């Protein structure tokens, strides 16, 4: 009964999404106010039915209703309750439902927080989002209905993939999807502005907080995914340049470019056409990400389910979204005049550099990700592009980007003089270079060139952020009063930039000073890694709720002092008979100790063990967290909540 | 030339040159890091490169896995149904590695003629077959090999 109600709610949501997509847009085009007024109620209604459908599917999972095919494929009665709830988005159909439900949520949020916007603008934004939502609902109902029944119903379900039975994976997909779907708001604003013919500072200001929040969620999603891969895949890596990781990373990079380009469009009225293009591409690449993950065209850790028909449909959807919006862009963009002129050394130029570097980085990663697919579909051959390619193209682009990141916030809009900043910045640069060389030497006694460059870049960002704070507070009567005058968007930006510095340091140090040993160890064996003694104490059997495990114990000592007692498990899950590794991690701010079991090698009790020492690896995710937090802070700045005539950034009290 | 035009020209020039260099470097890096996939039949026929890493995949042959008693060196055979190849690997095999399972290994043929894998990939799903392996099996099958024990 409940699944049928869910299915019915989904159909009603589709009907309302179509109404929401068509009537307000037609109203805005013909100037009919009462048609435009349909936008909000339709959005409320659509979200209501989506929430109902979602609750219905969750109910099927919680009550172990295995007559629902999707529940039978992704859940099991032995599965703990929390994982039964998260198993709702553990497969293709449910994650799509989550996608659309989040789209509904974002639409409702736009409806709520845009009371001060012109009616026609709101009608167009909500209308565009309704059209996108209709496409996805149609896709669900035609190719991947989560409420399909199976008869006779199986006695029990096939269980959630054990890899996904993990707290990190409970929140990773929702965060990622919040980001992907959030870019639809920026996209809708851009298309609405094109349709309405008003690409002005107000449009850019409305778009900014939405874009920033979406990007912050995407950041959290990616960071969580990376963290999960680190402790759950059991081999201690945090980024693999896997096509599916790239699929989320490319929109993330374009999102950064978009946030910065929107700033120029708002403050200076320049880059407008480019900003619109970026907004279209950020969302299109999010759709491409969904397509790549869900169509099964990729050979990847994420390719759980394959169905070419679905891939073709998403490809058509992608074609409609990109083609349609680019058509509107082609028709309307020539009328857009970018007004702000700027000289060669100005903040605009540096932000232009930011955009070019990020666009090139996104493009090269896209090339490496799609190239194997293109060759394969042309029948030329089956190839794979390895991580060395991505490292070789990405790292050289990030060095100038992070260097520019230090200068950008210090320069003035429109026109600045090199001589004003050169003296102080050259001192900062020299100090950063010295500190960057000293820190690795002091901590590890050696200074590989790239490690020094990475550390120096981190110091460069840190010091320029401090310099910026100093510049902005030095004219205040006291430092405290000066600090209090700074806006949330200022703090947000700097926090995010510090996040980049932290992540760069984490990546650099864990890459250059990490130690990894894969060895054969019998109980009682001891090995020294990074100056610590790792003693393998043997293996016990243990029984979990839906698995049995071999638990290995490793005692880590430094001389006579015990540093950590670590447990690592090799689990076999009952239903799918699938083995899984649980790594033992002793986490720390300056280093992680990482132990994971390989396989049992012989009957004497010898096991293959991974014993890793990973300095500063936690800083990578700490950096992601800071970036996301910075984004949320910046988006909650007061000026975004003011009316059409907001006040300038400098002149307000926090 | 007026200063605004001049500025724009400089900016545009820098961007074009920069993007051009980046594109050239990316293409060089791409061509150096492409790993082609070969089936055991192709490797036996001598089609695989001797001086470059490539991917080799197939089903792990039953009873072919053997370990060195003192180290993490392991060897196993992979087959596409027609031919088979021995793969050597030093390290820990993935959780889902087992006999009868489809795997992909990346590595190169050494001077001694052995295929030494740097990396062995098995997928995170019981029922999942790497598309390359499936393709290799189908090719071998279509060439008239009938004595298959492959199951999906």
């Amino acid at each position: 009964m409940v699944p049928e109600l869910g299915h019915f709610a989904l159909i009603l949501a589709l009907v309302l999404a179509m109404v929401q997509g068509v009537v307000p847009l037609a109203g805005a085009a013909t100037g009919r106010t009462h048609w435009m007024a349909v936008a909000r109620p339709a959005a409320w209604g659509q979200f209501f039915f989506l929430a109902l459908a979602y609750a219905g599917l969750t109910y099927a999972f919680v009550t172990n209703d295995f007559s629902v095919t999707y529940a039978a494929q992704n859940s099991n009665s032995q599965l703990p309750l929390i994982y039964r709830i998260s198993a709702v988005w553990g497969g293709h159909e449910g994650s799509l439902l989550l996608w659309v439900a989040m789209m509904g949520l974002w639409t409702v949020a736009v409806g709520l927080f845009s009371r001060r916007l012109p009616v026609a603008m709101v009608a167009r934004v909500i209308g565009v989002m309704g059209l996108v939502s209709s496409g996805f609902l149609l896709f669900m109902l035609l190719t991947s209905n989560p409420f399909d029944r199976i008869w006779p119903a199986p006695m029990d379900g096939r269980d959630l993939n054990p890899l996904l039975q993990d707290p990190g994976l409970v929140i990773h997909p929702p965060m990622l999807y919040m980001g992907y779907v959030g870019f639809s708001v920026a996209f809708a604003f851009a298309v609405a502005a094109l349709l309405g013919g008003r690409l002005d500072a107000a449009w850019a200001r409305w778009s900014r907080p939405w874009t920033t929040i979406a990007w912050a969620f995407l950041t959290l999603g990616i960071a969580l995914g990376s963290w999960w891969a680190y402790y759950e895949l059991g081999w201690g890596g945090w980024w693999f340049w896997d096509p599916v990781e790239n699929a989320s990373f490319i929109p993330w990079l374009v999102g950064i470019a978009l946030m910065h380009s929107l700033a120029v469009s708002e403050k200076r009225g320049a880059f407008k056409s480019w900003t619109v293009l970026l907004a279209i591409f950020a969302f299109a690449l999010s759709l491409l990400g969904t397509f790549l993950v869900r169509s099964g065209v990729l050979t990847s850790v994420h390719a759980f389910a394959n169905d070419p028909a679905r891939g073709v449909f998403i490809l058509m959807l992608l074609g409609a979204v990109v083609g349609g919006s680019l058509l509107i862009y082609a028709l309307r963009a020539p009328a857009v005049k970018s007004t702000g002129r700027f000289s060669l050394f100005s903040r605009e130029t540096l932000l232009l550099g930011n955009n070019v570097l990020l666009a090139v980085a996104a493009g090269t990663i896209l090339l490496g990700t799609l190239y194997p697919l293109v060759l394969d579909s042309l029948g030329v051959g089956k190839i794979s592009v390895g991580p060395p390619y991505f490292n070789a193209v990405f790292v050289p682009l990030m060095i100038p980007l992070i260097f520019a990141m230090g200068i950008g916030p210090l320069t003035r809009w429109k026109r600045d003089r090199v001589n004003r900043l050169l003296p102080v910045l050259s001192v900062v640069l020299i100090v950063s270079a010295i500190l960057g060389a000293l820190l690795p030497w002091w901590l590890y006694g050696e200074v590989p060139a790239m490690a020094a460059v990475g550390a120096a870049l981190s110091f460069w960002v840190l010091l320029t952020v401090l310099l910026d704070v100093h510049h902005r507070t030095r004219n205040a009567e006291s430092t405290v009063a000066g600090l209090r005058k700074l806006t949330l968007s200022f703090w947000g930006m700097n926090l995010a930039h510090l996040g980049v510095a932290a992540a760069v340091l984490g990546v650099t140090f864990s890459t250059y000073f990490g130690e990894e040993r894969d060895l054969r160890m019998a109980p009682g064996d001891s090995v020294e890694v990074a100056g610590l003694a790792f003693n393998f104490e043997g293996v016990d059997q243990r029984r979990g709720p839906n698995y049995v495990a071999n638990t290995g114990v490793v005692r880590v000592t430094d001389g006579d002092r015990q540093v950590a007692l670590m447990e690592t498990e090799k689990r076999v899950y009952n239903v799918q008979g699938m083995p899984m590794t649980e790594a033992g991690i002793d986490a720390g701010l300056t280093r992680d100790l990482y132990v994971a079991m390989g396989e049992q090698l012989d009957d004497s009790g010898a096991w293959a063990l991974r014993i890793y020492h990973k300095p500063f690896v936690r800083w990578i995710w700490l950096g992601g967290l800071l970036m996301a937090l910075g984004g949320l802070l910046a988006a909650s700045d007061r000026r975004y909540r003011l009316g059409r005539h907001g006040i300038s950034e400098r002149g307000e009290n926090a | 030339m007026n200063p605004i035009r001049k500025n724009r020209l400089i900016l545009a020039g820098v961007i074009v040159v920069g993007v051009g260099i980046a594109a050239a470097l990316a293409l060089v890096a791409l061509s150096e890091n492409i790993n082609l996939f070969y089936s055991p039949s192709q490797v036996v026929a001598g089609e695989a490169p001797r001086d470059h890493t490539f991917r080799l995949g197939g089903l792990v042959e039953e009873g072919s896995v053997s370990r060195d008693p003192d180290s993490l060196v392991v060897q196993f055979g992979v087959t596409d149904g027609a031919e088979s190849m021995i793969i050597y690997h030093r390290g820990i095999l993935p959780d889902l590695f087992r006999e009868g399972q489809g795997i992909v290994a990346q590595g190169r043929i050494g001077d001694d003629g052995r295929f030494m894998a740097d990396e062995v990939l098995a997928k995170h799903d019981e029922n999942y077959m790497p598309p390359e392996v499936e393709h290799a099996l189908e090719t071998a099958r279509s060439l008239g090999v009938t004595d298959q024990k492959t199951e999906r």
Side-chain angles (χ1 to χ4, degrees), chain A residues 227-552:
Chain A
W227 181 55
W228 167 81
Y230 171 73
Y231 69 75
E232 189 71 15
L233 291 183
W235 32 298
W238 48 270
W239 192 260
F240 309 104
W241 294 110
D242 178 286
V244 175
E245 289 174 336
N246 296 347
S248 63
F249 196 54
I250 299 165
W252 187 77
L253 290 172
V254 175
I256 302 179
L258 175 60
M259 286 191 297
H260 290 85
S261 168
L262 271 170
V264 182
S265 296
E266 185 204 345
K267 302 274 183 178
R268 301 287 310 143
F271 299 4
K272 283 186 204 160
S273 319
W274 171 244
T275 305
V276 170
L277 215 52
L278 277 179
I280 292 172
F281 278 120
F283 184 56
L285 288 166
S286 301
L287 287 181
L288 185 72
T290 314
F291 162 72
L292 288 179
V293 179
R294 290 299 166 193
S295 63
V297 292
L298 293 175
T299 306
S300 116
V301 290
H302 292 69
F304 295 117
N306 311 339
D307 184 349
R310 291 169 177 169
V312 170
F313 196 111
I314 301 187
L315 209 55
M316 278 161 52
L317 200 65
L318 187 66
V321 168
V322 178
S325 50
L326 285 183
L327 184 68
I328 297 172
Y329 177 81
L331 293 175
R332 295 299 179 102
V336 176
K337 283 268 187 297
S338 280
T339 48
R341 302 225 181 282
F342 54 93
S343 72
L344 217 48
F345 187 68
S346 63
R347 194 184 286 194
E348 285 94 323
T349 307
L350 283 157
L351 287 171
L352 182 66
N354 153 306
N355 270 243
V356 171
L357 287 169
L358 284 164
V360 171
T364 48
I365 296 174
L366 191 67
L367 175 72
T369 309
L370 294 185
Y371 192 59
L373 300 181
V374 173
L375 283 198
D376 191 18
S377 63
L378 294 177
V380 181
K382 292 192 177 289
I383 64 155
S384 70
V385 175
Y389 163 76
F390 294 102
N391 290 332
V393 296
F394 188 68
V395 175
L397 287 168
M398 288 305 105
I399 293 171
L401 181 71
I402 295 170
F403 180 69
M405 193 173 94
I407 310 173
L410 295 168
T411 40
R412 295 190 179 129
W413 292 107
K414 197 167 177 181
R415 177 187 296 271
D416 207 334
R417 282 173 300 113
V418 179
N419 291 340
R420 186 178 74 88
L421 291 169
L422 195 60
V424 61
L425 280 183
S426 39
V427 173
V428 172
L429 186 64
I430 291 166
V431 172
S432 307
I434 293 172
L435 289 176
L438 277 181
L439 187 66
W441 183 74
W442 176 62
L443 286 174
Y444 308 106
E446 52 174 333
V447 189
M450 281 308 285
V453 170
L457 281 173
S458 295
F459 279 113
W460 165 253
V461 173
L462 173 69
L463 294 176
T464 48
V465 164
L466 291 177
L467 188 66
D468 197 12
V469 173
H470 170 69
H471 276 182
R472 280 169 202 249
T473 52
R474 67 182 159 191
N475 293 329
E477 52 268 37
S478 74
T479 314
V480 178
L483 287 176
R484 291 184 55 173
K485 274 211 171 109
L486 295 172
T487 58
L488 279 183
S489 61
F490 176 81
W491 286 119
M493 173 189 78
N494 282 309
L495 201 60
H497 286 181
L498 287 178
V500 174
V504 167
L505 196 73
V507 171
T508 309
F509 280 15
S510 65
T511 305
Y512 285 95
F513 303 110
E515 207 173 320
E516 306 198 339
R517 300 280 291 277
D518 291 353
L519 344 127
R520 172 194 185 89
M521 286 183 101
D525 281 0
S526 178
V527 64
E528 192 181 298
V529 174
L532 300 169
F534 288 74
N535 311 293
F536 182 47
E537 309 217 315
V539 173
D540 281 331
Q541 299 257 324
R542 207 169 68 79
R543 186 168 287 277
N546 53 352
Y547 59 85
V548 285
N550 281 307
T551 308

Side-chain angles (χ1 to χ4, degrees), chain A residues 77-116:
Chain A
S77 55
Q78 287 179 16
L79 199 62
L81 180 66
I82 176 74
Y83 295 132
R84 267 185 270 154
I85 293 171
S86 71
V88 172
W89 59 77
H92 165 77
E93 289 88 346
S95 51
L96 258 183
L97 182 56
L98 182 71
W99 212 102
V100 188
M102 283 182 166
M103 181 106 197
L105 192 67
W106 277 98
T107 319
V108 167
V110 169
L112 284 177
F113 296 110
S114 59
R115 300 263 177 224
R116 290 199 182 83

